[in-house]
Amino acid sequence: MSYGQGGPQSQWDPWKPQSQQPWSSGTGQTPDWASLAEASETRNKRRRVFFIGGGVVATLAIGTAVAMAVVSANGDNKASGTPTNLPASASLPSDSADSAPSFAPTSAPPPLDPEEFIGNVKKDTAPLSAETLFPGTQLTMGETVYKKGATADTKKCATAAKGTLPSILTKDGCTRLLRVTYFKDGVAVTVGVAVFDTAAQASKAKTEADKKGFVSALAGSGAKAFCDSGVCRTTTNSYGRYAYFTTAGFLNGKDVTTKDTKVFQTGDDLAEFTFRQIHRRGEAQASAAAQG
């Protein structure tokens, strides 16, 4: 005798909502646990295959996206048209010391020495005159303004000097003597620039000069004769192929003493200015040579 409805017994499938258990109550029969376990294992294998397959698909999709990004980065990255989707400023890489370009050290040629040009007649070829060395009508040194007097230029150096200096200039090879006078408040000074072929000759003339020799004072153009007699203050120096001298004193013929600071200051100012002018001459020729 059978219980329930007739016909074949339905198969139980827990994944189908209308399926039934493979046993019936009231018959005393026990479920077929072996069959149930085999059926469950079969379903679990199907689920594992499904999930593993899904994982493979996801991995392939991610790999494809990376490949597309690499291809895009290796392609032509020149923008065409006007880009509209620019990255935010916070995402832009910042400059760092490591990103700065580095260059091999180079050495610029050393600047030309002005003394090389004023030290030898073969290089010192710029125009030379009393007006080029002492331009204008006056001279300002600090807050003091000196008026410019007469100028003179001679190739017979001995004729523009007195005492022991004429013989020294001649012996050491002086080729030219330029003179200029400046004056202020009753004090006048004559600067004499003796020109030689070499710096060695000019230096020798400076060394050999003594207190008994000096450049003749030059009168005219507002300055009357001075230092023809009496006591005046003199200086001697050299720079390059030039030896330069000063003769300073009072326009009224008064003797100069160590207390007459105005005379000393006037002579020192003009000696300093003469040095600067000779140096500028060398600088101008050195600059022209570097550019040419």
Side-chain angles (χ1 to χ4, degrees), residues 224-245:
K224 63 181 182 180
F226 65 101
C227 291
D228 288 337
S229 61
V231 178
C232 286
R233 194 237 183 178
T234 63
T235 66
T236 302
N237 215 325
S238 70
Y239 184 48
R241 67 187 188 104
Y242 303 92
Y244 53 98
F245 311 86

Side-chain angles (χ1 to χ4, degrees), residues 115-126 241 285:
E115 291 191 51
E116 292 183 4
F117 292 86
I118 59 173
N120 193 298
V121 67
K122 294 181 179 180
K123 290 187 176 182
D124 188 16
T125 58
R241 67 187 188 104
Q285 293 181 95

Side-chain angles (χ1 to χ4, degrees), residues 60-70:
L60 290 176
I62 294 174
T64 302
V66 172
M68 291 176 63
V70 171

Side-chain angles (χ1 to χ4, degrees), residues 58-138:
T59 302
L60 290 176
I62 294 174
T64 302
V66 172
M68 291 176 63
V70 171
V71 172
S72 176
N74 291 336
D76 186 1
N77 58 2
K78 294 182 179 179
S80 59
T82 303
T84 56
N85 296 324
L86 297 177
S89 59
S91 64
L92 296 176
S94 59
D95 293 336
S96 63
D98 295 337
S99 64
S102 60
F103 302 95
T106 58
S107 58
L112 299 177
D113 186 357
E115 291 191 51
E116 292 183 4
F117 292 86
I118 59 173
N120 193 298
V121 67
K122 294 181 179 180
K123 290 187 176 182
D124 188 16
T125 58
L128 176 63
S129 68
E131 291 300 327
T132 58
L133 280 180
F134 306 100
T137 60
Q138 63 184 29

